[in-house]
């Protein structure tokens, strides 16, 4: 299903006749169009409207539900929460976020989507801008009925025209949306508050749902002029504060320093069941830092309220300051149940030196995770062994049942060994294991046409030395690469590490100007169309997509389609495991590590529901609220 950030939506339209309506109206003479419209009205009357959608059955919440079960409906409103953001920002236009500039943190707070996910259910979403959704049995289209009360922050209504315009703008300018919504054939207004998306093929069960995920933007604002009278350009970066319609608006923004959001007191959707008990803070402030160490010190000095700790070393050693001892700062871990993860060193497969799987496997063999875990991570992590690590979707053992049947269909396009043995994750941690792994790595490099001469690994045919550069944007990863570097140098590989700022990093990534980068892919429990964006051949050379490495593999493409068009949960699991197995056996990445919990530290000035959502981890600040009594005990900062 939807791609994740530490984190979905959906849905469908009417009878099959509606799929042909647009073509009929375009082809018939004017005097016949009224009759065609009449047929559409009849078809529309047969639609079954739903308040929510689930990929795994029926939504848990009933049509008349008052609020989600994991929120406090009586949560007080107030207070300011201060969070850290890393790097910088120079753009407030989300449409071009993946292709130009650095987008500001938290910008999704000012926009709404047609549907919004539940953090208590897998692959389930409920109406936000849309009060209802409908689709035919063959999943060939989807219709959304907008809430008449939906408004932009300037008081103007959110219209079907806004939805259609936004969808086309996203699809035209965002590589992510181009791939994600490639099968939407037409988008048309089918009622005063109704929009219908028709697909180019039936049977894609997920399409009706994911169409509801894009942010709806105000067409009238983007087609207007800025304060100087210059026409706005939705295809360019901007620092003009955009008009939104969500629960928050931008109060102030200083590029590279801070951005502050304020809660909209008269937000049109405040009382909707999906919004009750959330959006509780009057203000959310993101302070930008270039270095994680500085951000940590700012938290200790009570310049930030909440911190999600990503470094094992800091989690083990950096939280022994007085406020923790005095219990004014609370340390807490929250289980991550909603996503699988692949975090890895990603090869740039567009470069010839990485074209041979044996070369890529050699890099994996040289990576001694066990040594790294003990030396740098205090033994906190485990090695990732799947592209869907931590879920039932991860492949294990040897293929059997439906998974085996699917793999048989691509047998001539996949490594034969995957049928007879489990994926061999290298194991190190001792001098003997390290030497054995490096011997195997050198053997594979020799077989791939490389040999060591004068302590340098060179190409047998050309004499070209094997040189690699690790491109990183987070200085904290330097120590990881420097721990990895000596093993590669023992193989004769010339290794360099280049740390650049976020802007340079993104530009080089978009230009495919790298050998190695560190990347992570979050996976929902219901994978689908986003797999094309992650691993599909058509996304391989499109800047800004998730296919960072440039994977081009017909077997992967075929199995992605099996995932997308799975008709049952059992078939989906089998198809995903087959895809996972083929990705692993092609050694497209060097898998790193995972933890399985969100490590957090907070100044104790917040309240939260008694029952946390099953799939939301900490869900901060979404369902939390300002607790005035606690804040007094922790010397809370001035409120906005």
């Amino acid at each position: 299903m939807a791609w994740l950030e530490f984190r979905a939506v959906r849905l469908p339209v009417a009878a099959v006749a509606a799929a042909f309506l647009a073509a009929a109206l375009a082809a018939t003479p004017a005097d016949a169009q009224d009759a065609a419209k009449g047929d559409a009205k009849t078809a529309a009357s047969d639609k079954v409207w739903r308040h929510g959608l689930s990929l795994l059955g029926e939504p848990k919440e009933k049509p008349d539900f008052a609020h989600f079960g994991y929120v406090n409906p009586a949560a007080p409103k107030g207070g300011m929460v201060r969070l850290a953001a890393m790097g910088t920002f120079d753009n407030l236009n989300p449409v071009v976020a993946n292709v130009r500039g650095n987008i500001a943190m938290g910008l999704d707070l000012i926009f709404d989507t047609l549907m919004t996910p539940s953090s208590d259910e897998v692959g389930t979403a409920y109406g936000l801008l849309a009060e209802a959704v409908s689709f035919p049995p063959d999943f060939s289209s989807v219709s959304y009925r907008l809430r008449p009360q939906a408004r932009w922050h300037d008081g103007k209504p959110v219209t079907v025209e806004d939805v259609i315009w936004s969808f086309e703008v996203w699809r035209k300018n965002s590589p992510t949306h181009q791939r994600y919504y490639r099968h939407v054939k037409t988008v048309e207004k089918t009622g005063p508050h109704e929009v219908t998306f028709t697909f180019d093929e039936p049977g894609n069960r997920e399409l009706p749902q994911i169409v509801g995920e894009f942010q709806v933007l105000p067409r009238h604002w983007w087609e207007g002029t800025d304060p100087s009278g210059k026409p706005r350009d939705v295809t360019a970066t901007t620092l003009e504060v955009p008009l939104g319609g969500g629960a928050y608006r931008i109060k102030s923004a200083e590029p590279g320093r801070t951005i502050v959001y304020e809660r909209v007191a008269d937000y049109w959707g405040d009382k909707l069941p999906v919004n009750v008990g959330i959006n509780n803070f009057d203000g959310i402030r993101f302070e930008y830092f270039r270095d994680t160490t500085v951000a940590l010190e700012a938290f200790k000095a009570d310049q930030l309220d909440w911190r999600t700790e990503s470094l094992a070393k800091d989690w083990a050693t950096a939280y022994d300051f007085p406020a923790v001892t005095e219990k004014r700062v609370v340390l807490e871990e929250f289980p991550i149940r909603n996503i699988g993860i692949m975090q890895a060193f990603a090869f740039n497969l567009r470069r010839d030196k990485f074209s041979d799987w044996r070369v890529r496997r050699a890099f994996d063999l040289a990576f001694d995770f066990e040594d790294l875990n003990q030396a740098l991570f205090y033994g906190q992590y485990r090695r990732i062994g799947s592209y869907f690590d931590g879920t039932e979707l991860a492949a294990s053992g040897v293929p059997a049942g439906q998974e085996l049947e699917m793999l048989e269909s691509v047998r001539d396009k996949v490594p034969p060994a995957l049928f007879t043995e489990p994926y061999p994750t290298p194991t190190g941690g001792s001098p003997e294991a390290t030497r054995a792994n490096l011997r195997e790595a050198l053997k594979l490099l020799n077989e791939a046409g490389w040999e060591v001469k004068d302590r340098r690994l060179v190409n047998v045919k050309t004499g070209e030395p094997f040189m690699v550069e690790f491109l990183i944007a987070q200085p904290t990863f330097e120590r990881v690469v420097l721990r990895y570097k000596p093993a590669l140098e023992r193989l004769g590989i010339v290794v360099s590490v280049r740390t650049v700022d976020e802007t340079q990093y993104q530009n080089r990534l978009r230009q495919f100007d790298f050998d190695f980068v560190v990347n992570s892919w979050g996976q929902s429990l219901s994978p689908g169309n986003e797999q094309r964006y992650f691993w599909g051949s058509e996304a391989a050379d499109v800047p800004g997509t998730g296919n960072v490495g440039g994977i081009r593999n017909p077997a992967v493409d075929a199995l992605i389609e099996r995932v997308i068009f799975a008709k049952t949960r059992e078939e989906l699991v089998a198809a995903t495991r087959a895809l996972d197995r083929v990705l692993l056996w092609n050694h497209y990445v060097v898998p790193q590590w995972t933890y399985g919990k969100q490590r957090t530290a907070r100044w104790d000035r917040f309240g939260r529901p008694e029952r946390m959502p099953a799939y939301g981890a900490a869900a901060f600040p979404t369902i939390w609220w300002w607790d005035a009594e606690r804040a007094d005990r922790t010397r809370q900062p001035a409120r906005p």
Side-chain angles (χ1 to χ4, degrees), residues 378-550:
Y378 294 79
Q380 293 182 38
Y381 293 122
R382 61 176 179 79
R383 184 86 189 269
I384 287 176
S386 165
Y387 282 75
F388 302 85
D389 198 275
T391 74
E392 66 169 332
L393 305 166
S396 62
V398 295
Q402 284 194 60
E403 181 191 352
L404 178 59
E405 294 174 12
M406 294 177 187
L407 288 169
E408 288 287 357
S409 69
V410 293
R411 177 180 277 272
D412 61 331
K413 301 180 181 67
V414 301
L418 68 76
F419 288 96
T420 58
E421 55 185 283
Y423 175 72
T425 300
T427 301
S430 68
E432 295 79 9
T434 298
R435 287 194 292 269
N437 286 339
L438 290 178
R439 282 195 298 269
E440 178 64 18
L442 189 57
K443 175 187 174 186
L444 291 172
L445 289 168
N446 292 156
E447 292 174 0
W450 298 85
E451 63 179 357
V452 177
K453 285 187 176 181
D454 298 326
R455 300 170 65 179
R456 289 283 184 91
L457 187 69
V458 298
N459 188 285
V460 173
K461 294 181 179 179
T462 67
E464 176 187 4
F466 202 123
M467 306 174 68
V468 296
E469 178 187 83
F470 287 82
L471 180 68
I472 57 179
Q474 297 180 1
T476 53
F477 256 97
E478 288 181 1
R479 65 192 185 117
V480 173
V481 178
L482 292 176
R483 190 86 184 183
Y484 186 15
K485 181 181 177 182
L488 296 174
E489 291 176 332
R490 288 176 65 180
L491 295 173
I493 298 171
V494 179
V495 182
S496 61
V497 184
R498 176 69 63 86
T499 303
V500 298
D501 63 33
E502 186 66 25
T503 299
Q504 290 178 290
Y505 181 81
Q506 291 299 330
N507 287 337
R508 288 190 59 177
L509 215 59
R510 291 164 187 159
Q511 296 166 12
F512 309 127
D513 181 19
F514 65 91
D515 287 331
F516 271 102
V517 292
V518 175
N519 202 63
S520 62
W521 296 266
Q523 296 281 5
S524 78
L525 301 180
S526 297
N529 289 267
E530 78 286 346
Q531 301 304 306
R532 291 171 175 154
Y533 160 86
F534 286 160
W535 331 112
S537 295
E538 290 190 17
D541 294 323
V542 180
T545 69
N547 194 347
V548 174

Side-chain angles (χ1 to χ4, degrees), residues 16-29 32-33 36 40 185-188 198:
V16 178
F20 301 99
L21 178 59
L25 287 174
T28 55
Q33 290 190 12
K185 183 171 61 176
T186 62
V187 187
E188 59 183 330
T198 303

